[in-house]
Amino acid sequence: MITGSVFGIADHSYRPSSSVNDGNLCLNGLEAIRIAFVSRRTEPTDYMGPGPVTQTGPGDFLSGGPKREAHRIRQQFVGRLKGRTKKKQEPKVKPLEHDAHSSTINSEDLTDGLVTGSGKNSHDTGTGRGSFPSEPKASDSSQAPDLKAIKTIFIEQLRLRNFCSYPDACLTFEDFTILIGQNGAGKSTLREALEIMRDALTDSLSNALSRRGGLEYWIRQGGKESEKNLSLAIQLRFGARDDRLRAVYGFDLLLTEGGGYRIFQEHLTFSTDQVPHFHREGDQFQTSLPLPELPLAPDQLAFPLLAGSHPFWKACLNEIRGVSAYIFSPERMRQETTALNQSRLASDGQNAANILEGLENHRGVIKMLTERLCAVIPGIHRVFTESFRGRRILGFEQDGERMVRLDATQVSDGTLRILGILLAICQQPPPTLIFLEELEDSVHPEAFATITEAIEEAAEQTQIVITSHSPVALMHKPVTEARTRLIRWELGRSEIYKLESPPPEEEDYPFSVGEMLQFNAITPIPLPSSVKGGFFEADTE
């Protein structure tokens, strides 16, 4: 846990402690309470600043002279506290500099709640192990990027090293990404890698691994016997594709004796030196932010604890936590569920009735979902929910000689799977990335055109990834070469390939991805996709 400090890091707000002593500066508990009380403010500020004075009405007892005096006292205290911080910090911690070796931090050198340290490390050689990544080149602009001005954050890459069947791979995402490949090639492994990253930052790394067989299960089999580690990382893009602001978060895990593990490396890097980075290697920690002492267990990630220290860090954490992956189970969807107000669909669709109930407040969304469902399932007129004694279940209305009401136990697996897909892409607020396994499972081929069109429309709001073996599912317009990735397994290793685009002079290319797959005519780019440069360094190309 994070120990107490003069500065709060969760919301960057100023929080005086009960006692601070430094030479002629002494603030006891009563004075701290008085300053905190009379300088109340209505908006959060930078954790190193005093914050604005609250505007009060004529009847407020804090208006006029007493308030100005309280603000003056607080300004004086914080100004002196800043001087104290700089006095102790400058000799030991330097801001991260480009083209130069930065100071590194040993956990034994953490004093006064501030990160300090000395020593040098070599730049990352691209191996992803044994050294801190090099800092990015200086930006042309000295102004730090404004997170409020950035409209979108995009999960751009998933990087894997020594993970299961992937010795070194990089999956690049589009707004709508299609993964194709034979059974056992490694498509589901990519989904599980995303889930491990998400669960490690939402729950804990230990639980994320133990639920999936432990670290040893995921370390690549068939590699060198000396290889006892794996690495995962995600690259994020802030803004449009042409914007060059990128962030990479990831970790390297090392297997220890007895089946345990420890975190060998953990990094959060950006493509500009205007946003703070952090680097962790073993018991060493390096950052340009003044942070409280952080006693971490060897198997505990630092990022979830530190994300509140900077708005860009928090944005990265929330983006990765927002990933959702689905393998729908019609059996679970048929069961009654506890009636709750929920906004996130369960991975197997078990709480579909609760999600549908919540969408009743989004009339446009529920109308689109109903229209799509009725278009692909003959006779279905409406889907609804029924609640009784705290339980909730799905219901359907079907046309015929007379209107028939059916519950979820009376409809087909395909009907429930299609409903699950539509609920996944329609849920509000949408996940940051949606991963749908085996799109064609129990779904009639005639439904694919409607489903892929609905996915393409939803991809304007959130990223969507699907896996498929079906040429029929891939014959529709939204499925293009630029959006498709071929997963191949050969000689004990999985690799990811982009497809060659059709010749530019052929505007109306005669063959769809599905037709090329059907006739075994898929043409991938010769070289598989791998990480360019250092494993934890941002790629802006």
Side-chain angles (χ1 to χ4, degrees):
M1 61 181 294
I2 300 178
T3 59
S5 170
V6 174
F7 302 105
I9 68 167
D11 58 359
H12 302 178
S13 59
Y14 166 77
R15 296 175 182 170
S17 63
S18 60
S19 179
V20 178
N21 295 278
D22 183 31
N24 63 345
L25 175 61
C26 180
L27 180 69
N28 61 35
L30 291 177
E31 291 172 328
I33 294 172
R34 176 173 176 264
I35 291 174
F37 178 73
V38 302
S39 58
R40 295 177 300 172
R41 57 186 189 274
T42 59
E43 56 181 302
T45 60
D46 188 270
Y47 58 86
M48 293 296 287
V53 178
T54 305
Q55 299 298 317
T56 57
D60 194 317
F61 70 94
L62 290 179
S63 61
K67 180 167 184 174
R68 286 195 296 270
E69 176 63 16
H71 185 59
R72 184 190 65 77
I73 293 173
R74 184 175 182 277
Q75 289 274 32
Q76 184 182 36
F77 168 70
V78 175
R80 296 168 71 184
L81 189 58
K82 283 185 178 181
R84 169 181 176 269
T85 303
K86 291 180 180 179
K87 181 178 179 181
K88 289 194 174 185
Q89 178 185 350
E90 287 178 353
K92 297 183 179 180
V93 178
K94 298 179 180 179
L96 296 174
E97 298 177 354
H98 51 272
D99 299 331
H101 298 297
S102 301
S103 297
T104 60
I105 293 91
N106 190 287
S107 58
E108 297 177 356
D109 295 328
L110 297 175
T111 60
D112 290 333
L114 298 178
V115 180
T116 61
S118 60
K120 295 182 179 181
N121 275 311
S122 59
H123 291 299
D124 187 11
T125 59
T127 63
R129 300 190 64 193
S131 58
F132 290 149
S134 58
E135 294 303 322
K137 295 182 179 180
S139 173
D140 294 335
S141 173
S142 59
Q143 186 176 3
D146 183 9
L147 183 60
K148 294 181 179 179
I150 297 173
K151 296 181 179 180
T152 59
I153 306 176
F154 194 90
I155 297 178
E156 197 167 46
Q157 294 179 359
L158 170 65
R159 302 176 179 182
L160 311 96
R161 176 165 293 164
N162 205 29
F163 184 85
C164 206
S165 58
Y166 290 92
D168 184 10
C170 179
L171 173 60
T172 302
F173 296 101
E174 307 294 337
D175 56 347
F176 176 23
T177 308
I178 302 97
L179 306 181
I180 62 174
Q182 296 180 345
N183 290 326
K187 301 185 297 299
S188 296
T189 300
L190 299 173
R191 169 185 57 80
E192 290 172 303
L194 283 170
E195 290 182 311
I196 288 175
M197 288 286 289
R198 177 203 64 200
D199 292 352
L201 298 179
T202 305
D203 185 358
S204 71
L205 179 59
S206 177
N207 289 340
L209 292 172
S210 62
R211 283 195 293 263
R212 297 171 175 87
L215 178 64
E216 190 171 8
Y217 177 83
W218 294 101
I219 291 180
R220 180 172 173 253
Q221 305 297 317
K224 298 178 181 178
E225 293 185 3
S226 59
E227 292 180 341
K228 298 295 183 182
N229 74 299
L230 64 79
S231 302
L232 288 174
I234 285 179
Q235 174 165 301
L236 305 173
R237 184 183 76 229
F238 292 82
R241 186 182 298 272
D242 294 337
D243 296 335
R244 299 184 66 82
L245 180 56
R246 304 290 195 275
V248 175
Y249 171 74
F251 47 75
D252 182 278
L253 308 179
L254 185 64
L255 189 67
T256 58
E257 294 183 2
Y261 72 92
R262 65 182 178 90
I263 298 169
F264 186 71
Q265 290 192 72
E266 184 183 6
H267 302 277
L268 176 64
T269 62
F270 290 83
S271 57
T272 174
D273 56 356
Q274 301 301 322
V275 181
H277 306 225
F278 83 74
H279 306 291
R280 172 188 181 185
E281 184 174 320
D283 61 352
Q284 293 183 326
F285 194 90
Q286 172 186 345
T287 183
S288 59
L289 287 180
L291 299 177
E293 183 177 354
L294 193 68
L296 288 170
D299 61 350
Q300 183 181 13
L301 293 174
F303 189 34
L305 302 176
L306 298 177
S309 304
H310 195 277
F312 273 94
W313 293 15
K314 187 66 174 179
C316 293
L317 180 71
N318 290 339
E319 192 72 10
I320 299 173
R321 282 178 169 178
V323 171
S324 291
Y326 298 99
I327 305 177
F328 294 110
S329 169
E331 291 77 13
R332 297 296 302 277
M333 295 178 71
R334 288 188 176 97
Q335 296 174 6
E336 294 180 351
T337 185
T338 303
L340 298 172
N341 293 325
Q342 295 177 307
S343 60
R344 184 58 56 88
L345 182 64
S347 61
D348 59 1
Q350 188 269 339
N351 64 337
N354 286 335
I355 302 304
L356 183 62
E357 180 70 18
L359 289 178
E360 292 295 335
N361 297 324
H362 303 269
R363 292 297 180 182
V365 175
I366 200 71
K367 179 181 178 182
M368 186 277 289
L369 183 149
T370 303
E371 290 176 349
R372 302 282 190 184
L373 186 66
C374 296
V376 298
I377 303 176
I380 293 294
H381 175 71
R382 185 171 73 94
V383 59
F384 59 93
T385 63
E386 288 186 336
S387 301
F388 181 70
R389 292 186 177 180
R391 308 293 291 176
R392 186 171 287 146
I393 193 171
L394 292 168
F396 299 82
E397 287 185 356
Q398 189 174 43
D399 292 330
E401 294 181 1
R402 59 184 180 86
M403 189 68 67
V404 178
R405 293 171 66 92
L406 307 172
D407 63 38
T409 63
Q410 297 172 293
V411 299
S412 68
D413 287 1
T415 298
L416 293 174
R417 289 186 188 276
I418 293 173
L419 176 61
I421 293 170
L422 294 175
L423 285 174
I425 64 177
C426 290
Q427 57 189 311
Q428 300 293 323
T432 56
L433 184 146
I434 298 170
F435 198 113
L436 300 170
E437 278 266 28
E438 306 296 352
L439 188 69
E440 67 274 9
D441 192 6
S442 302
V443 178
H444 193 277
E446 291 183 1
F448 292 139
T450 300
I451 292 175
T452 54
E453 288 174 3
I455 289 175
E456 184 179 42
E457 182 178 330
E460 297 177 3
Q461 304 296 324
T462 182
Q463 293 174 255
I464 299 178
V465 182
I466 67 169
T467 68
S468 180
H469 299 102
S470 171
V472 178
L474 305 176
M475 287 182 180
H476 303 286
K477 188 175 181 180
V479 181
T480 64
E481 289 84 351
R483 289 171 165 170
T484 305
R485 306 289 183 264
L486 173 64
I487 315 301
R488 276 183 172 175
W489 185 91
E490 188 174 1
L491 299 177
R493 55 189 295 151
S494 295
E495 294 177 329
I496 303 170
Y497 293 85
K498 293 183 178 180
L499 301 189
E500 288 188 351
S501 300
E505 62 273 10
E506 298 186 20
E507 296 182 0
D508 297 322
Y509 195 61
F511 301 109
S512 66
V513 173
E515 289 170 323
M516 290 190 294
L517 179 64
Q518 185 175 20
F519 297 110
N520 198 26
I522 291 288
T523 306
I525 291 176
L527 296 177
S529 300
S530 59
V531 179
K532 299 178 182 178
F535 190 83
F536 301 108
E537 292 179 1
D539 176 15
T540 59
E541 296 181 2

